[in-house]
């Protein structure tokens, strides 16, 4: 079994999430990360807004006029008071505000988590959760939300994706993943009001800060296109290629939005062992507006959940349009943008080898 690796989290003004150190960073512990600092020009880290005049950027602030919405906040890190996260990312550390309290003990009770987010009380409180149910009551933990998006909302996401422009998948061989994709990481997409609403809605449901989310990926499967059996969480594989994975933790959850009905095929299939060790199959049929959510990690979330291996079965008739959000244990986007190669475990391994060589 492969264990996922992560550097200790920096606990500003308190104890580390790993160990009992009391490391602090001067002048930043008092920043409220959800609020703009009073004087932006006093921030000592050279953190700048990506776009000008963020204070007047429409849709950046929530109704209180102070709290920044994500992912727009990514464009205005200084205005939104996120510079402490930039500084800690550059140091290959994570700010303690970024780690959800539920994760600090190293375990997550997925049974309780999935029970809570599909509970009747949640469905009464949030209309988009009506009909929510747990599809698998043991690993892999999978929940279904059949009314999460209205038809008009699904159409809005489709239009956003089309505006961004799909490209042919080029990260995997065609026999592994044959699909058209685009990501919501452009300034234009991050400023879309409904993209902010998707992040807000997911954060409200899951209890994770939207900075823990990767950029939303939009996908378009045509007839015959597919994605073979695979795991969404792979950052624990050595060597880690993306330094952000060291700071943000694994992809704890995958939130998959179906944006179209499919005439035939295109199911999301899960194949993994149940509690008895027997292989089981779970198939989820695409339905416009439906969302499914699954856990990629075990209760001890430093270990991947092998039963979460899944596949996008070939589309036989129609088109399968969808959007994916991956949720990490800690903040993802800031480390992805600012963490350097020195955060890579392979870098530390090489440094250690060099030191040993010189000593010999």
């Amino acid at each position: 079994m492969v264990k996922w690796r992560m550097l200790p989290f920096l606990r500003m003004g308190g104890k580390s999430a790993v160990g009992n150190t009391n490391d602090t960073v001067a002048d930043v512990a008092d920043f409220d990360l959800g609020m703009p600092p009073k004087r932006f020009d006093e921030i000592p880290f050279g953190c700048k807004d990506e776009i000008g005049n963020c204070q007047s950027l429409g849709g950046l602030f929530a109704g209180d006029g102070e709290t920044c919405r994500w992912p727009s906040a990514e464009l205005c890190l200084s205005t939104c008071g996120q510079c402490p996260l930039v500084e800690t990312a550059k140091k290959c550390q994570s700010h303690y505000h970024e780690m959800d309290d539920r994760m600090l003990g190293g375990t997550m009770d997925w049974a309780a988590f999935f029970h809570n987010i599909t509970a009747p009380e949640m469905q009464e409180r949030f209309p988009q959760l009506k009909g929510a149910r747990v599809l698998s009551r043991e690993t892999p933990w999978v929940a279904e939300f059949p009314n999460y998006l209205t038809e008009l909302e699904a159409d809005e996401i489709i239009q956003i994706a089309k505006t961004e422009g799909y490209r042919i998948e080029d990260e995997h061989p065609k026999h592994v993943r044959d699909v058209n994709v685009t990501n919501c990481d452009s300034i234009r997409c991050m400023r879309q009001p409904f993209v902010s609403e998707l992040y807000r809605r997911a954060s409200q449901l899951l209890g994770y800060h939207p900075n823990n989310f990767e950029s939303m990926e939009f996908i378009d499967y045509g007839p015959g296109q597919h994605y073979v059996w695979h795991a969404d969480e792979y950052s624990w594989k050595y060597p880690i290629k993306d330094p952000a994975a060291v700071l943000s933790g694994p992809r704890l959850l995958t939130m998959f939005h179906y944006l179209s009905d499919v005439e035939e095929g295109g199911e999301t299939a899960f194949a993994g062992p149940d509690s008895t060790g027997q292989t089981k199959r779970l198939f989820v049929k695409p339905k416009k507006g439906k969302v499914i959510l699954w856990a990629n990690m075990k209760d001890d979330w430093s270990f991947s959940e092998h039963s979460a291996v899944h596949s996008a079965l070939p589309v036989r008739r129609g088109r399968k349009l969808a959007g994916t959000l991956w949720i990490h244990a800690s903040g993802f986007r800031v480390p992805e943008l600012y963490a350097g190669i020195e955060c890579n475990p392979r870098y530390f391994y090489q440094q250690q080898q060099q030191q040993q060589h010189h000593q010999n």
Side-chain angles (χ1 to χ4, degrees):
M1 184 178 295
V2 182
K3 194 174 193 290
W4 172 82
R5 302 174 60 187
M6 182 172 65
L7 297 180
F9 283 88
L10 176 66
R11 299 290 300 226
M12 293 185 185
K15 292 185 177 181
S16 170
V18 181
N20 295 312
T21 62
N22 288 300
D23 297 325
T24 60
V25 173
D27 301 323
V28 299
D30 293 331
F31 276 145
D32 183 341
L33 299 183
M35 306 273 288
K38 293 181 179 179
R39 295 190 58 186
F40 312 167
D41 58 350
E42 290 186 353
I43 298 176
F45 308 134
C47 172
K48 298 180 180 179
D49 294 332
E50 188 172 338
I51 60 177
N53 200 19
C54 281
Q55 283 288 349
S56 61
L57 179 64
L60 174 61
F61 296 107
D64 60 9
E66 296 180 324
T67 304
C68 289
R69 298 180 188 271
W70 290 78
S72 300
E74 184 182 315
L75 305 172
C76 301
L77 292 174
S78 177
T79 296
C80 293
Q82 305 300 305
C83 290
L85 308 186
V86 175
E87 179 66 7
T88 52
K90 289 179 179 178
K91 296 178 179 179
C92 303
Q93 297 168 322
S94 293
H95 195 288
Y96 77 103
H97 277 285
E98 291 291 273
M99 174 61 84
D100 187 278
D101 288 344
R102 294 171 295 182
M103 315 306 299
L104 292 177
T107 61
M108 183 68 170
D109 186 344
W110 290 121
F113 177 87
F114 278 84
H115 171 78
N116 291 337
I117 63 175
T118 57
E121 296 81 5
M122 289 287 285
Q123 298 184 42
E124 287 295 324
R125 185 178 177 189
F126 304 112
Q128 71 269 20
L129 303 185
K130 291 287 187 183
R133 61 184 182 132
V134 177
L135 297 180
S136 175
R137 294 191 175 274
E138 60 177 346
T139 57
W141 284 100
V142 185
E144 177 185 74
F145 304 90
N147 302 298
Y148 194 82
L149 299 169
T150 67
E151 186 166 341
L152 289 177
E153 288 173 339
D155 289 339
E156 174 72 10
I157 303 173
I158 292 171
Q159 187 56 50
I160 291 171
K162 286 182 177 179
T163 301
E164 288 303 296
Y166 288 101
R167 71 180 189 280
I168 298 175
E169 164 67 56
D170 57 6
E171 295 180 6
H172 301 282
K174 193 171 183 178
H175 71 277
V176 174
R177 191 186 193 201
D178 183 9
V179 65
N180 305 306
V181 300
T182 188
N183 292 87
C184 187
D185 53 11
S186 71
I187 292 177
R188 173 180 55 199
C189 189
M190 287 191 287
R191 291 181 60 179
Q192 289 290 335
F194 193 66
V195 171
S196 294
E197 168 59 18
L198 285 174
Y199 277 54
R200 184 203 66 79
R201 197 177 291 185
S203 179
Q204 183 182 66
L205 171 64
L206 306 176
Y208 289 95
H209 194 285
N211 184 36
N212 292 28
F213 305 165
E214 293 186 33
S215 296
M216 194 167 192
E217 180 183 77
F218 305 114
I219 53 181
D220 175 6
Y221 290 94
Q225 291 186 301
H226 64 280
Y227 195 176
V228 299
W229 298 103
H230 65 282
D232 278 0
E233 171 46 48
Y234 51 82
S235 67
W236 44 263
K237 289 187 177 179
Y238 185 83
I240 296 175
K241 296 181 179 180
D242 184 358
V246 181
L247 302 181
S248 60
R251 286 175 169 175
L252 291 176
L253 296 160
T254 298
M255 195 170 191
F256 195 78
H257 307 68
Y258 295 101
L259 306 178
S260 67
D261 297 317
V262 179
E263 294 179 50
E264 187 178 356
E267 296 89 352
T268 304
F270 295 85
D274 60 18
S275 58
T276 68
Q278 299 296 313
T279 298
K280 62 179 178 179
R281 295 287 191 272
L282 173 65
F283 298 91
V284 182
K285 183 176 176 59
K287 181 181 182 299
K288 189 173 185 178
K290 178 166 69 177
V291 163
I292 59 173
L293 176 81
W294 65 87
N296 296 306
M297 309 303 287
K298 295 182 179 294
D299 282 5
D300 178 349
W301 57 266
S302 58
F303 291 90
S304 60
E305 177 52 71
H306 299 304
S307 63
V309 169
H310 56 284
S311 171
L313 300 185
V315 173
R316 292 189 289 274
R317 284 193 299 148
R319 299 199 77 82
K320 177 183 176 181
L321 304 176
T324 308
L325 269 179
W326 289 288
I327 295 90
H328 288 258
S330 187
F332 178 83
R333 284 295 288 166
V334 171
E336 183 180 41
L337 294 171
Y338 292 99
I341 186 62
E342 61 271 19
C343 301
N344 192 318
R346 178 173 53 181
Y347 173 86
F348 288 103
Y349 175 76
Q350 292 172 341
Q351 292 294 308
Q352 185 182 43
Q353 292 295 103
Q354 291 176 4
Q355 291 176 0
Q356 292 177 352
H357 176 74
H358 290 311
Q359 290 174 355
N360 295 332

